[in-house]
Amino acid sequence: MKRRNFIKNAALTGAGVAVGSTLLSCADNDTKETKIVATTNNKSQVSLPLVIATWHVEEATAKAWKVLQAGGNALDAVEQGCMVEEANEKGQSVGKGGLPDREGNVTLDACIMDKHGNCGSVVYLQNVTHAVSVARKVMEDTPHVMLAGKGAEQFAYEQGFKKENLLTEASKKAWEAWKIKSEYKPIINIENHDTIGMLAIDKNGDISGACTTSGLAYKMAGRVGDSPIIGSGLFVDNEIGACVATGLGEEVVKTVGSFLVVELMRQGKSPQEACEEAISRIVNKPNSNYKDFQVGYIAVNKQGETGSYSIHQWFSMTKYQDGVNEQIQSDFFNKS
Ligand code: ASP
């Protein structure tokens, strides 16, 4: 695995002590902070808390880390981390500023899942920037898991979210340029970053995850991808671990990717091995045209071990752990 663009932020440092098979806490003499250490089966030590995210989103992981480091829970951390990218108008694949569908509508998909296995999701949400927070409200304040379209939007307003125009000038210009070519190729860009998916383990060792996206640029009106589909775009099992996906959602849905990764970890695979196996299910299908699209997974297990893998080069994971916020270039399948 190659590493690039290391970002080191001054924060908690110091070694922990592991003497058991689960979670321990100990006082760090220099910082007087409580540091949590998880031991893996082979007794290696992993320091908690930690947060990982798809692509290079250091500001988002920094926000999540701040929540975790202050003793906040993993659910708050992933929500607040994702919100950073949703509000970032320069990011054209998430939240405000996301590229629209072929009709010029920006439509958002998002979901969130907590340590109890509760989940909430919104699909085809328009005019509300923080889709991840609306998904959380669906989880916490309704008897449902998923709200779509106008119903989701109406619910958001009732919850106090404000109506905003999500189509920025830059995204409008890009859409207008695309319309002139009028070419519809639902092929995911292999190099640029897309959905933000985030997984965190807090100081208590509890796991939560979230993901948020504007989906494929210039998709058909009404198209929904993997990102709001529990088990496809995201899955969390607090006993085992969690996974989140990015890339061409249709391929992730067909293989129920994130659930698959978690189940593979349940069977004993490491997060890295599980992500690789889930990618192999896609690329080894008869007649797979994987050369034309990207899919990437990141995963974490209960012990705090992480993994990431994609079909093509240039997928990366951002990881904040032990006071270090770093971008980790993922290994990938297509080396030809
Ligand atoms: N998975 C998202 C979707 O298919 C897009 C992405 O990750 O770029 O909607």
Side-chain angles (χ1 to χ4, degrees), residues 123-167:
V123 306
Y124 203 80
L125 176 68
Q126 290 178 264
N127 302 313
V128 179
T129 298
H130 292 300
V132 71
S133 302
V134 184
R136 181 168 178 176
K137 288 280 183 197
V138 172
M139 175 174 82
E140 292 179 340
D141 294 348
T142 80
H144 307 303
V145 163
M146 186 181 278
L147 290 181
K150 285 283 164 222
E153 191 177 339
Q154 185 55 38
F155 170 72
Y157 300 145
E158 282 161 17
Q159 295 291 322
F161 290 84
K162 73 169 194 273
K163 184 168 184 167
E164 285 179 272
N165 176 15
L166 304 184
L167 187 63

Side-chain angles (χ1 to χ4, degrees), residues 78-79 82-83 86 110-112 130-136 210-212:
V78 294
E79 180 192 4
C82 285
M83 286 171 71
E86 288 178 333
C111 72
I112 193 160
H130 292 300
V132 71
S133 302
V134 184
R136 181 168 178 176
C211 72
T212 182

Side-chain angles (χ1 to χ4, degrees), residues 109 188 194-195 213 215-216 223 225-227 245-250:
D109 299 331
I188 211 87
D194 302 287
T195 297
T213 188
L216 286 184
R223 181 266 184 189
D226 61 312
S227 304
T246 182
L248 189 63
E250 282 74 2

Side-chain angles (χ1 to χ4, degrees), residues 249-264:
E250 282 74 2
E251 296 299 321
V252 177
V253 169
K254 286 177 202 166
T255 49
V256 200
S258 293
F259 183 72
L260 173 62
V261 169
V262 173
E263 288 307 299
L264 289 165

Side-chain angles (χ1 to χ4, degrees), residues 6 51 77 83 101 117 170 196 216 240 249 267 288 306 326 332 334:
F6 278 62
V51 56
M83 286 171 71
D101 66 15
I196 172 167
L216 286 184
I240 303 297
Q267 289 163 23
S288 172
T306 60
E326 61 181 344
F332 56 97
N334 183 20

